[in-house]
């Protein structure tokens, strides 16, 4: 994959796959820089993910709390999950919302995509605001241990602003959703 910009570029001359895992694979590229020098780039290939910000008619948002091994602790974040290869992100978002909160929604508003780590990873996270919630049964994956929590949108917004919420996809979704949820701020 090569992306050419108006001024800056790198030419890929070789790429070797060095790791294949359950969630991503890693390759090392040999590139020629725009000044003619050679360099190496480590690239993490990831299918991407989707995050859903569910908001009820009273302006309450629903989040999940779960242990995240990479940070050795519990994280409060929006319901989210990884995409399977070539999976439609809205379909995946509906699935993740149902699995992690039990909710289905009448309306999904696309908030855009977020590229969390552009320096070395191809992951894109697609974000949605879910409204018109209907409660149902939670259906966690076998390896998920999740607690669903509810709080007013304004409280969650302030927690993001005050750096209490560190998860990037959650911050971006909360901030982007403010366009549609100003009445709750």
């Amino acid at each position: 994959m090569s992306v050419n910009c108006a001024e800056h570029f790198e030419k890929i001359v070789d790429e070797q796959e060095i790791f294949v895992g359950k969630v991503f694979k890693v390759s090392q590229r040999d590139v020629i820089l725009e000044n003619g020098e050679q360099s190496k780039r480590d690239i993490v290939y990831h299918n991407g993910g989707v995050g859903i910000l569910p908001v009820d008619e009273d302006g309450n948002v629903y989040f999940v709390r779960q242990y995240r091994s990479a940070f050795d602790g519990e994280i409060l974040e929006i319901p989210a999950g990884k995409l399977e290869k070539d999976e439609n992100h809205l379909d995946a978002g509906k699935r993740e919302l149902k699995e992690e909160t039990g909710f289905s929604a009448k309306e999904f508003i696309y908030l855009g995509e977020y590229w969390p780590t552009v320096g070395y990873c191809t992951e894109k996270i697609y974000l949605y605001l879910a409204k018109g919630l209907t409660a149902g049964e939670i259906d966690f994956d076998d390896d998920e241990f999740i607690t669903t929590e509810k709080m007013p949108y304004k409280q969650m917004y302030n927690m993001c602003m005050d750096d209490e919420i560190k998860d990037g996809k959650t911050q971006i979704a909360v901030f982007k959703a403010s366009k549609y949820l100003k009445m709750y701020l």
Side-chain angles (χ1 to χ4, degrees):
M1 172 173 62
S2 180
V3 177
N4 291 322
C5 297
E7 296 179 36
H8 302 290
F9 65 92
E10 293 181 353
K11 181 180 179 189
I12 300 167
V13 293
D14 189 38
E15 186 163 6
Q16 300 292 321
E17 191 171 84
I18 58 175
F19 173 79
V20 177
K22 179 181 171 187
V23 177
F24 59 84
K25 68 179 182 177
V26 180
S27 292
Q28 189 169 73
R29 288 181 179 171
D30 293 318
V31 298
I32 297 177
L33 306 174
E34 58 190 82
N35 65 359
E37 298 290 321
Q38 287 192 303
S39 190
K40 292 196 178 289
R41 301 285 186 246
D42 295 330
I43 306 295
V44 176
Y45 289 94
H46 189 287
N47 289 335
V50 62
I52 306 291
L53 179 67
V55 180
D56 67 20
E57 65 279 351
D58 296 323
N60 294 304
V61 292
Y62 294 82
F63 289 84
V64 296
R65 183 179 298 278
Q66 61 185 316
Y67 180 84
R68 292 298 193 177
S69 189
F71 291 95
D72 193 26
E74 287 186 335
I75 306 291
L76 188 62
E77 60 190 287
I78 60 176
K82 63 184 181 297
L83 299 174
E84 300 302 325
K85 186 164 176 53
D86 299 322
E87 183 177 23
N88 176 281
H89 48 84
L90 177 56
D91 292 340
K94 290 177 181 180
R95 178 192 71 236
E96 291 297 330
L97 179 64
K98 180 76 174 148
E99 284 178 4
E100 295 187 2
T101 67
F103 287 119
S104 56
K106 292 180 184 163
E107 182 181 12
F108 288 86
I109 300 169
Y110 183 59
L111 299 174
E113 63 185 64
Y114 161 60
W115 300 359
T117 317
V118 298
Y120 61 86
C121 186
T122 65
E123 182 181 22
K124 297 176 184 177
I125 300 176
Y126 301 90
L127 300 170
Y128 288 89
L129 169 61
K131 296 172 67 180
L133 303 178
T134 302
E137 294 295 316
I138 294 173
D139 184 24
F140 299 137
D141 289 339
D142 291 337
D143 63 348
E144 289 183 312
F145 302 93
I146 296 173
T147 304
T148 303
E149 297 185 17
K150 173 177 104 171
M151 69 181 68
Y153 174 72
K154 182 176 183 176
Q155 180 181 352
M156 182 52 68
Y157 185 93
N158 288 334
M159 288 175 75
C160 288
M161 289 299 295
D162 295 339
D163 203 30
E164 294 175 54
I165 302 295
K166 308 239 188 262
D167 177 59
K169 71 183 172 304
T170 298
Q171 291 177 347
I172 298 296
V174 166
F175 295 149
K176 284 189 155 201
S178 67
K179 174 179 176 180
Y180 305 96
L181 303 173
K182 286 186 191 298
M183 71 285 277
Y184 300 118
L185 284 176

